[in-house]
Amino acid sequence: QKEVEQNSGPLSVPEGAIASLNCTYSDRGSQSFFWYRQYSGKSPELIMFIYSNGDKEDGRFTAQLNKASQYVSLLIRDSQPSDSATYLCAVNTVRDDKIIFGKGTRLHILP
Amino acid sequence: KAGVTQTPRYLIKTRGQQVTLSCSPISGHRSVSWYQQTPGQGLQFLFEYFSETQRNKGNFPGRFSGRQFSNSRSEMNVSTLELGDSALYLCASSLKGGSSYEQYFGPGTRLTVT
């Protein structure tokens, strides 16, 4: 089992709709969870981080964490064409104190 | 506050040569981590430096090395370059060491080995 798994996509969502991105992880001891956005040819940009079970909202973005089921998700409300990018999920591993990145989900917002 | 800076942004080297990449973290950040990003493998952790000490390392050969200076700036060196070393090399800075804290990436250095 891969340490951090994401659906590679592409995920196509109409403009104005909610985009839902999911990520599962294997280390039950993981405590820190991050979402990065990466535009083509650019470096990853941190957009959300969450440490506790439940939801965390920041503007149009909501991160949801469910430690019992070992998944974390990112919701993007009122999706805009500028949200089209690859979204990377990252999780810390307690075993060796590293941040492991998923391979990312490509999101395409349809105008 | 200025972000993470990396130099050079682009580099073309020949197989067998060596290369040194530089990273300046966000002011006040003491941890610098290095990653290699390729289309096939995604983002892979190389090593982390904190307070001038290598705190952690990934599964890369000894040709990949790094160091950190007292001002928290970090350099990464790759010796005896191979074609497979062609990648985007990213550094990320964090306020504290370890994997629990948010990391902020620099723009990256695109290395092409011919």
Side-chain angles (χ1 to χ4, degrees):
Chain A
Q1 181 187 7
K2 294 179 183 175
E3 292 180 278
V4 179
E5 291 201 67
Q6 297 180 255
N7 189 317
S8 62
L11 174 65
S12 295
V13 174
E15 183 176 356
I18 295 175
S20 177
L21 305 164
N22 299 312
C23 170
T24 58
Y25 60 95
S26 60
D27 186 343
R28 282 199 169 274
S30 293
Q31 300 168 336
S32 305
F33 307 85
F34 311 93
W35 282 101
Y36 288 83
R37 177 177 62 198
Q38 187 172 24
Y39 292 114
S40 180
K42 301 293 185 182
S43 63
E45 174 192 1
L46 180 65
I47 55 173
M48 289 287 285
F49 54 90
I50 186 169
Y51 301 116
S52 305
N53 258 344
D55 296 0
K56 178 182 178 183
E57 187 175 315
D58 184 1
R60 295 187 296 112
F61 298 98
T62 299
Q64 298 176 319
L65 174 61
N66 185 322
K67 287 187 177 181
S69 300
Q70 294 178 242
Y71 81 80
V72 57
S73 60
L74 179 71
L75 301 178
I76 306 175
R77 290 182 300 281
D78 188 23
S79 296
Q80 302 296 310
S82 60
D83 294 326
S84 296
T86 296
Y87 289 80
L88 301 170
C89 170
V91 179
N92 83 318
T93 62
V94 177
R95 179 181 69 251
D96 47 15
D97 198 18
K98 296 174 184 174
I99 293 179
I100 304 298
F101 285 79
K103 294 199 172 180
T105 298
R106 283 180 297 142
L107 175 65
H108 181 49
I109 305 302
L110 304 169
Chain B
K1 195 182 264 191
V4 180
T5 58
Q6 290 186 247
T7 56
R9 294 292 311 279
Y10 303 92
L11 210 47
I12 300 175
K13 289 287 188 179
T14 303
R15 198 168 40 179
Q17 289 184 315
Q18 75 161 14
V19 66
T20 299
L21 312 181
S22 180
C23 171
S24 292
I26 293 170
S27 177
H29 284 196
R30 296 170 60 194
S31 170
V32 173
S33 296
W34 288 89
Y35 294 86
Q36 180 195 68
Q37 187 175 35
T38 59
Q41 298 300 316
L43 263 167
Q44 292 190 287
F45 173 74
L46 281 155
F47 28 66
E48 178 195 3
Y49 285 87
F50 179 76
S51 293
E52 302 178 65
T53 301
Q54 186 180 85
R55 193 179 172 282
N56 208 342
K57 68 188 299 287
N59 299 322
F60 279 81
R63 300 185 296 108
F64 292 82
S65 63
R67 59 178 176 169
Q68 187 180 34
F69 302 96
S70 58
N71 61 358
S72 295
R73 188 178 71 86
S74 177
E75 287 183 346
M76 187 192 96
N77 184 77
V78 188
S79 62
T80 319
L81 284 165
E82 300 178 358
L83 295 178
D85 296 334
S86 294
L88 179 66
Y89 289 89
L90 294 157
C91 82
S93 81
S94 180
L95 191 59
K96 300 179 182 179
S99 62
S100 299
Y101 304 97
E102 311 92 78
Q103 294 185 352
Y104 299 88
F105 284 91
T109 295
R110 173 76 60 185
L111 172 64
T112 302
V113 182
T114 62

